[in-house]
Amino acid sequence: MDRHWHDLHRTQGLSGLYLKAARKRSITGDSLPASGLHCAIGVNPQRLQAYRKLCHFGDDSHLPPTFPHVMAFALQLQLLTADDFPFPLLGLVHLNNRIRVVRPLGGIGTLRFSVFVDNLQPHAKGATFDLMTEAEDSLGLLWHERSRMLCRGVKLEGEPPAVDTPEPLPLGELTRWYADSDIGRRYAKVCGDYNPIHLSALSARLFGFPQAIAHGMWSKAMALAALRGHLPLSGYEVDVAFHKPVRLPSEVVLEGSAVAPDGQFRLVGHGDLVHMTGSWHTLHESSRPA
């Protein structure tokens, strides 16, 4: 696909983007736009420090592997609320998230981000697409993210693609934490993600949830902070699938396999309810994005 890029000097304000998202409630098409956004975004030291504390990352010279997602969040929203994007932002479901750390995330002041959508596929409940985010420094690609999103109600021809299930590895408890009732509001304050399903029981009920639920990317960040002894400094990817949401408040347990170049983990709650499954893999040169 020949992609048309829009170069931005800055991202739009979140309040305006949320107002735009609230106005769009219907599906307006069944194909993705062939456009993307470029923007240079600087690291905010105060936000970074608050994020480290919120997600239990250590205070070192490298960005947490999930922090570029936070940096690019407004740019992603700007793409998903653009007039040529066919699906309403409210109601999209985050099914899967894969992050690749291509080179060490150290000594960073500003990154050049690229965001676009790709890979529209039929799904049993509608259609999925991939929200792609890439971060570069002066030497080239540094970090890459694919967020697979579900839009219910989209009608596409064809069958959903088959999903490969890896052979499970033995898992043991690594840590556990308590997701308190206000973690959604605290995450939103730091990261800007004010989806109503995360903020309170009252706002979550408007979207069919009996309680507020934790942000999936907070759960992933907490898991990666706990797995830092399992992961190299760079040259790896972490892929997670989000299953049952973490209702607030609740306690969750992180289970993981042994330290190795490749491994698996999962986040479980009361009654062995599975909230998230994931894996990490060492990147070989042939598997790194060009």
Side-chain angles (χ1 to χ4, degrees), residues 19 21 26-27 41 47 50 62 71 81 84 109 121 124 137 145 149 170 187 202 205 208-209 213 254 263 270 273:
L19 284 173
S26 60
I27 297 167
I41 301 173
R47 171 184 269 192
H62 293 82
M71 294 175 65
T81 56
D84 60 352
Q121 298 277 0
D137 62 6
E145 178 186 50
M149 313 298 291
Y187 184 90
L202 181 62
R205 289 190 195 107
F209 293 90
I213 63 174
L254 180 69
H270 181 71
L273 183 67

Side-chain angles (χ1 to χ4, degrees), residues 24 48 73 82 85 100 112 134 161 168 175 185 233 237 252:
K24 184 171 183 176
L48 174 58
F73 181 71
F85 185 72
R100 287 177 171 174
R112 178 173 168 82
E134 297 177 346
T175 188
R185 294 188 293 276
L233 193 60
E237 70 175 28
V252 294

Side-chain angles (χ1 to χ4, degrees), residues 108-137:
I108 294 170
T110 299
L111 290 172
R112 178 173 168 82
F113 284 93
S114 305
V115 298
F116 61 97
V117 287
D118 199 7
N119 192 32
L120 187 65
Q121 298 277 0
H123 186 275
K125 296 181 180 180
T128 62
F129 67 92
D130 292 341
L131 172 61
M132 310 293 284
T133 307
E134 297 177 346
E136 297 181 340
D137 62 6

Side-chain angles (χ1 to χ4, degrees), residues 52 56-60 62 64 225 228:
R52 289 189 192 279
H56 297 188
F57 284 105
D59 191 2
D60 58 30
H62 293 82
R228 56 188 176 271

Side-chain angles (χ1 to χ4, degrees), residues 57-100:
F57 284 105
D59 191 2
D60 58 30
S61 59
H62 293 82
L63 297 183
T66 46
F67 190 70
H69 170 88
V70 176
M71 294 175 65
F73 181 71
L75 193 64
Q76 294 172 342
L77 255 59
Q78 190 164 336
L79 182 76
L80 297 179
T81 56
D83 293 339
D84 60 352
F85 185 72
F87 309 139
L89 176 64
L90 294 178
L92 291 180
V93 180
H94 195 176
L95 297 179
N96 174 278
N97 180 272
R98 185 191 70 198
I99 285 175
R100 287 177 171 174

Side-chain angles (χ1 to χ4, degrees), residues 86-209:
F87 309 139
L89 176 64
L90 294 178
L92 291 180
V93 180
H94 195 176
L95 297 179
N96 174 278
N97 180 272
R98 185 191 70 198
I99 285 175
R100 287 177 171 174
V101 180
V102 180
R103 290 186 287 110
L105 300 175
I108 294 170
T110 299
L111 290 172
R112 178 173 168 82
F113 284 93
S114 305
V115 298
F116 61 97
V117 287
D118 199 7
N119 192 32
L120 187 65
Q121 298 277 0
H123 186 275
K125 296 181 180 180
T128 62
F129 67 92
D130 292 341
L131 172 61
M132 310 293 284
T133 307
E134 297 177 346
E136 297 181 340
D137 62 6
S138 59
L139 298 178
L141 184 67
L142 189 68
W143 179 94
H144 180 278
E145 178 186 50
R146 183 201 68 202
S147 293
R148 182 152 294 163
M149 313 298 291
L150 167 67
C151 182
R152 295 186 176 95
V154 181
K155 305 294 184 181
L156 296 179
E157 294 184 1
E159 295 295 322
V163 178
D164 293 330
T165 303
E167 190 71 23
L169 297 174
L171 305 180
E173 181 176 334
L174 299 178
T175 188
R176 59 180 62 205
W177 61 81
Y178 186 73
D180 55 32
S181 58
D182 71 340
I183 189 59
R185 294 188 293 276
R186 290 193 286 130
Y187 184 90
K189 184 177 180 180
V190 173
C191 303
D193 187 348
Y194 284 93
N195 189 323
I197 64 176
H198 304 302
L199 302 182
S200 70
L202 181 62
S203 59
R205 289 190 195 107
L206 298 175
F207 294 86
F209 293 90

